[in-house]
Amino acid sequence: MSKKKFFSEFLKPGTKIGSVTPSSKFLVKKMIEPIDFTNLKCIVEFGPGTGTITQELLNKMPKDAVLLVFEINEEFCEKLKKEIQDPRMKIITDTAENLENYLSEYTIDKVDYIVSSLPFTMIPNGVVQNILRIIKKVLCPAGAFIQYQYSLNLYRRLRNTFKNVDLNFTPMNFPPAFVFTCSN
């Protein structure tokens, strides 16, 4: 999908897309940097968009690992299905709030990492709180929730939810982004 097409998806009325352009290679690097790919079994990705982070995750994941990808934009789902044909990736056209249902369906007890591009500033507070509660519940003890945002608005909420929150910044993205790495 071209940047122009991505931008047109962003402009659609009622859109849930939080960015005007796909993630830069610099942001992708910052998002996957905290992940220990050695023995992981399951990664969840919320809001993969056009798959720039998705592809990097698959490139580094073990052959027996699974990647559950949650995307509510049907055009993005079609693009992912067409352009990334990897049996480890399971595309789920549903909201992050339903994560536990799919973990049960795939008989997964805990998740090693959750990588998220969700535009939390566009999501109602109660939904955000529910998603964060679910994330905290399903993460492995050594796992992490990695989220980027374009502001620090989410920082306090993350600090109140997780034991550790590391903050990073990527100026080489448009717009520049903050990366939060959260663990229990």
Side-chain angles (χ1 to χ4, degrees):
M1 181 178 290
S2 69
K3 286 184 180 183
K4 183 178 176 181
K5 178 67 176 150
F6 191 98
F7 185 66
S8 72
E9 283 295 305
F10 173 78
L11 291 176
K12 283 185 177 177
T15 189
K16 299 279 194 265
I17 299 170
S19 180
V20 296
T21 185
S23 302
S24 71
K25 65 182 178 181
F26 304 104
L27 180 55
V28 172
K29 183 179 180 204
K30 288 276 189 200
M31 291 291 287
I32 66 168
E33 206 169 70
I35 299 174
D36 177 2
F37 288 93
T38 314
N39 295 311
L40 65 82
K41 297 293 178 206
C42 179
I43 298 178
V44 171
E45 184 179 13
F46 293 147
T50 58
T52 53
I53 296 172
T54 311
Q55 188 61 65
E56 245 348 270
L57 291 170
L58 289 165
N59 289 345
K60 296 185 176 290
M61 283 172 49
K63 300 229 180 290
D64 63 340
V66 66
L67 175 62
L68 302 181
V69 175
F70 285 74
E71 176 58 66
I72 60 172
N73 181 295
E74 290 186 19
E75 282 197 47
F76 288 162
C77 287
E78 288 306 313
K79 180 194 183 324
L80 290 169
K81 286 176 191 170
K82 186 197 257 182
E83 294 187 10
I84 305 175
Q85 295 174 1
D86 189 314
R88 298 172 297 166
M89 179 179 69
K90 312 298 182 204
I91 299 172
I92 300 165
T93 310
D94 204 348
T95 68
E97 278 189 292
N98 294 320
L99 171 60
E100 289 178 292
N101 297 339
Y102 292 95
L103 292 179
S104 179
E105 181 179 321
Y106 288 103
T107 61
I108 298 167
D109 293 322
K110 293 287 183 179
V111 174
D112 296 293
Y113 294 92
I114 297 176
V115 177
S116 175
S117 303
L118 291 180
F120 279 116
T121 55
M122 298 171 64
I123 300 172
N125 282 334
V127 175
V128 171
Q129 200 57 41
N130 195 36
I131 292 170
L132 294 177
R133 180 190 58 76
I134 292 166
I135 291 169
K136 186 173 173 67
K137 180 180 174 184
V138 303
L139 268 180
C140 288
F145 167 54
I146 306 160
Q147 168 74 49
Y148 80 83
Q149 297 283 271
Y150 300 119
S151 75
L152 291 171
N153 291 346
L154 189 63
Y155 187 65
R156 176 179 280 163
R157 183 171 268 174
L158 293 174
R159 295 277 307 149
N160 290 336
T161 304
F162 297 94
K163 186 176 180 182
N164 301 303
V165 178
D166 292 327
L167 178 61
N168 218 315
F169 183 66
T170 307
M172 300 299 291
N173 190 68
F174 181 76
F178 295 96
V179 177
F180 305 95
T181 302
C182 311
S183 58
N184 291 323

